[in-house]
């Protein structure tokens, strides 16, 4: 994008933008208030200095398109803002960008019960869609701890995963169609909810996971599924990492798994300190597996547990006997992120093929212990789909900048291990700013070049979420 207008002061550019924006939005849908901008211009990473120029709250596709067209003419960079629950800096405004919040585009527009399609605006909160589905005897099964805040547009833009990918897949698998406003200001509609559509490139899949760098997702047609049968949960105590894979295989052969999660004893200890929950097992083990499956298969699950016990893969276990017990066991896993938030954790969200998880986790655990013997390291993740979360916790006495610098130093070593196994440096949190400089560890140079060319097609002036995902050239 040409560096036009940068000779103006920030105040002059802000005033210029407001004057132009008032031709598109009512004044109450434009804000330059400092505290509000700091909230709108950040996400859950809290790792970056926030400095938006202004923020707007569109209520229609026409307003979004007109805004993008104006931004192209006057060279205003735009950053999307949904629920701001991202963990990669993907919606952070650091350099006088205009934040485009979709909070007011939050309506469910239409429901087709035959096709089980919900046509909704991008600002619909994930839990709102889940509740709507439940009211119609159906389900929207993509779920994660931020579902009460995250928005459908942001879920699509990051291809969000969550806790039940092993059974229900990623957000991508539930997007039947969408409308977008490209970086040129064009309004495009993709697929229109069709099950079969063999008419060339399926452009919706370029926008899924694009992190707002090609354009803004403004509406989506989301597929709903059959309501699941009641679920039960088992938590198992596991002494060896390598045994987790054997346990996974045994349960996969026996029951319909909805989730297969794991967490370390340190992770569970943090949850117990932060809540009124009690330890689920009499004996403490190094790791724990949380397994969710259909309630009517509880007898089969109990047999699988017994087999794992006989093999020495499991030390102990507990099976939920009621919905409240199921909820409490899930809180041991779901509560981890909240319980460690006060430690300002340095997070890494990575993935390898499922068969490589134990060996990879062993290698990385050794690497982390070698470099950070004085820091607590909290492991958890969706081991059933090869996704691991590494959280290094900051001691209270350590300066935040020094802590982050120490943690960043390990990234090349960690990512080389991932590259060697053909894995991903970001399994479900996206690239954003946090991992942009390391993209080459997961993507070949030719792939990155192709991404740049695709971005130029949809966003020739580079105004859409600039600096995210791809390094500026």
């Amino acid at each position: 994008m040409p560096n036009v207008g940068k000779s103006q002061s920030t105040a002059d550019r802000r005033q210029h933008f407001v004057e132009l924006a008032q031709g598109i939005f009512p004044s109450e849908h434009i804000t330059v208030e400092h505290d509000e901008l700091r909230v709108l211009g950040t996400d859950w990473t809290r790792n970056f200095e926030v400095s938006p120029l202004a923020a707007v709250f569109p209520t229609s596709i026409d307003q979004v398109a007109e805004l993008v067209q104006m931004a192209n003419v006057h060279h205003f960079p735009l950053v999307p803002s949904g629920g701001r629950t991202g963990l990669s800096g993907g919606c952070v405004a650091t350099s006088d960008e205009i934040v485009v919040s979709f909070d007011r585009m939050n309506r469910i527009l239409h429901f087709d019960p035959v096709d089980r399609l919900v046509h909704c605006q991008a600002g619909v909160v994930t839990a709102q869609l889940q509740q709507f589905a439940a009211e119609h005897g159906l389900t929207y099964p993509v779920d994660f701890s931020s579902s009460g805040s995250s928005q459908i547009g942001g879920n699509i833009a990051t291809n969000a995963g969550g806790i039940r990918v092993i059974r229900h897949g990623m957000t991508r698998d539930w997007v039947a169609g969408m409308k977008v406003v490209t970086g040129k200001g064009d309004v495009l509609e993709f697929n229109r909810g069709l099950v079969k559509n063999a008419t060339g490139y399926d452009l919706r899949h370029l926008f899924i996971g694009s992190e707002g760098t090609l354009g803004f997702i403004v509406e989506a047609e989301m597929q709903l599924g059959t309501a699941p049968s009641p679920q039960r949960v088992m938590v198992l105590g596991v002494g060896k990492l390598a045994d987790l894979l054997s346990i996974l295989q045994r349960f996969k052969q026996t029951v319909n798994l909805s989730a297969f999660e794991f967490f370390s004893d340190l992770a569970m200890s943090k949850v117990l300190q932060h809540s009124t929950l009690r330890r689920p097992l009499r004996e403490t083990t190094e790791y724990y597996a949380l397994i969710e499956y259909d309630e009517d298969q509880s007898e089969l699950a109990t047999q699988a547990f017994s087999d794992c016990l006989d093999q020495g893969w499991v030390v102990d276990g507990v099976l939920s006997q009621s919905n409240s017990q199921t909820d409490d066991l899930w809180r041991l896993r779901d509560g981890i992120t909240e319980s460690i938030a006060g430690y300002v954790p340095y997070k890494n969200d990575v993935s390898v093929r499922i068969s490589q998880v134990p060996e990879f986790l062993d290698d990385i655990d050794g690497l982390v212990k070698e470099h950070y013997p004085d820091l607590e390291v909290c492991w958890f993740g969706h081991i059933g789909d090869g996704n691991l979360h590494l959280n290094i916790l900051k001691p209270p006495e350590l300066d935040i900048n020094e802590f982050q610098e120490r943690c960043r130093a390990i990234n090349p070593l960690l990512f080389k291990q991932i590259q060697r196994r053909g894995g991903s440096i970001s399994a479900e949190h996206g690239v954003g700013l946090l991992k942009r400089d390391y993209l080459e560890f997961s993507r070949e140079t030719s792939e990155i070049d192709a991404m740049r060319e695709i971005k130029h097609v949809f966003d020739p002036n580079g105004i859409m979420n600039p600096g995210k995902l791809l390094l500026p050239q």
Side-chain angles (χ1 to χ4, degrees):
M1 182 178 70
N3 196 20
V4 176
K6 287 297 184 180
S7 59
Q8 291 179 290
S9 70
T10 296
D12 288 342
R13 277 181 61 75
R14 179 175 287 122
Q15 182 59 36
H16 184 209
F17 173 78
V18 169
E19 290 173 356
L20 294 168
Q22 285 174 337
I24 304 172
F25 304 95
S27 296
E28 62 270 24
H29 292 180
I30 307 167
T31 184
V32 295
E33 199 275 319
H34 178 266
D35 290 343
E36 192 172 5
L37 290 182
R38 289 195 64 81
V39 172
L40 292 167
T42 192
D43 65 7
W44 281 3
T45 55
R46 306 291 191 267
N47 285 1
F48 305 98
E49 287 296 322
V50 177
S51 181
L53 192 71
V56 293
F57 298 84
T59 57
S60 71
I61 294 175
D62 288 344
Q63 285 182 340
V64 176
E66 195 172 348
L67 170 68
V68 174
Q69 292 160 10
M70 179 267 281
N72 271 288
V73 173
H74 297 278
H75 311 289
F76 287 108
L78 304 175
V79 172
S81 178
R84 299 177 291 282
T85 59
L87 291 165
S88 67
C91 64
V92 174
T94 61
S95 304
D96 287 354
E97 300 98 334
I98 309 302
V99 175
V100 184
S101 170
F102 288 90
D103 285 354
R104 294 177 186 266
M105 293 183 68
N106 60 1
R107 292 184 297 126
I108 290 176
L109 302 172
H110 178 68
F111 172 55
D112 185 331
V114 175
D115 290 314
R116 296 181 173 181
L117 290 178
V118 176
H119 186 178
C120 61
Q121 293 180 307
V124 167
V125 172
T126 311
Q128 179 186 351
L129 180 59
Q130 292 169 335
Q131 180 62 33
F132 181 88
E135 290 169 358
H136 289 82
L138 300 169
T139 184
Y140 179 67
V142 182
D143 196 17
F144 24 76
S145 58
S146 63
S147 61
S149 304
S150 66
Q151 297 176 3
I152 292 299
N155 294 349
I156 296 171
T158 56
N159 190 27
I163 57 178
R164 294 183 175 88
V165 170
I166 191 173
R167 185 164 188 171
H168 300 296
M170 306 283 282
T171 297
R172 181 185 304 277
D173 300 297
W174 299 87
V175 181
M178 70 170 79
K179 286 184 181 179
V180 304
V181 176
T182 72
K184 294 179 180 179
D186 297 329
V187 179
L188 303 181
E189 185 173 5
F190 304 142
N191 198 57
R192 298 178 177 84
L194 297 174
V195 175
K196 287 187 172 183
N197 184 3
T199 54
Y201 308 131
D202 192 342
L203 297 179
R204 68 187 151 147
H205 290 293
L206 285 178
F207 277 75
I208 298 171
S210 66
E211 301 185 36
T213 60
L214 305 180
F216 293 147
I217 296 159
V218 289
E219 290 181 7
E221 288 177 290
M222 305 303 293
Q223 188 75 58
L224 302 185
T226 302
S229 61
Q231 301 289 290
R232 283 290 175 255
V233 167
M234 186 180 289
V235 170
L236 308 180
V238 183
K240 298 177 183 178
L241 278 171
D243 291 339
L244 285 165
L245 197 60
S246 300
I247 297 166
L248 172 61
Q249 289 302 104
R250 182 66 187 89
F251 274 84
K252 267 184 157 182
Q253 293 165 359
T254 308
V255 297
N256 295 322
L257 288 177
S258 296
F260 192 97
E261 303 284 295
F262 102 104
F263 45 94
S264 65
D265 185 62
L266 176 63
M268 185 165 71
S269 296
K270 298 301 182 186
V271 174
L272 296 177
Q273 292 168 17
H274 192 71
S275 68
T276 58
L277 295 171
R278 297 181 179 180
R279 279 193 172 273
L281 307 177
R282 291 186 298 272
E283 188 171 341
T284 297
T285 57
E286 191 74 15
Y287 303 100
Y288 301 89
L290 183 149
I291 304 168
E292 185 180 74
Y293 49 88
D294 294 345
E295 182 182 49
D296 60 8
Q297 295 185 319
S298 292
E299 188 174 333
L300 293 172
T302 301
Q303 182 58 55
F305 163 68
S306 180
D307 293 345
C308 292
L309 202 60
D310 292 342
Q311 292 291 334
W313 301 331
V314 170
V315 176
D316 196 3
V318 60
L319 165 65
S320 65
Q321 300 295 327
S322 65
N323 290 338
S324 63
Q325 288 181 351
T326 295
D327 292 343
D328 283 347
L329 290 178
W330 259 118
R331 285 170 62 197
L332 293 171
R333 166 62 183 86
D334 285 342
I336 296 173
T337 298
E338 181 181 348
S339 70
I340 64 175
Y343 295 88
V344 196
Y346 188 86
K347 296 175 175 288
N348 253 308
D349 153 51
V350 300
S351 68
V352 294
R353 285 186 297 176
I354 298 167
S355 61
Q356 298 183 359
V357 165
E359 178 190 345
F360 171 72
L361 210 158
D362 258 339
D363 288 346
I364 299 308
D365 199 41
L367 185 67
V368 171
K369 286 176 180 176
E370 176 186 349
H371 285 79
Y372 308 117
D374 56 330
L375 302 181
E376 290 185 314
V377 178
C378 193
W379 283 103
F380 64 94
H382 320 296
I383 202 167
D385 52 57
N387 180 190
L388 305 170
H389 297 287
L390 166 65
N391 296 263
I392 304 172
L393 308 186
K394 187 187 83 66
E397 68 277 4
L398 189 60
D399 175 74
I400 182 65
N401 293 321
E402 180 184 350
F403 169 70
Q404 291 181 348
E405 188 62 32
R406 285 185 63 188
C407 293
R408 278 193 292 268
I410 201 178
N411 279 344
L413 300 175
L414 169 64
F415 296 157
K416 281 179 182 177
Q417 291 281 356
I418 294 168
Q419 186 179 44
R420 183 164 67 86
R421 292 175 170 84
S424 173
I425 63 169
S426 181
E428 60 178 355
H429 292 165
V431 175
L433 286 172
L434 197 64
K435 294 189 175 179
R436 179 196 66 187
D437 296 356
Y438 305 106
L439 189 58
E440 63 186 17
F441 287 97
S442 284
R443 296 293 190 130
E444 299 291 340
T445 301
S446 57
E447 288 184 280
I448 296 173
D449 289 343
M451 290 184 193
R452 292 189 187 282
E453 292 177 15
I454 291 168
K455 178 172 173 60
H456 184 72
V457 169
F458 288 100
D459 179 29
N461 292 317
I463 66 166
M464 305 304 289
N465 214 8
K468 315 296 172 34
L469 181 59
L470 299 168
L471 275 167
Q473 286 189 314

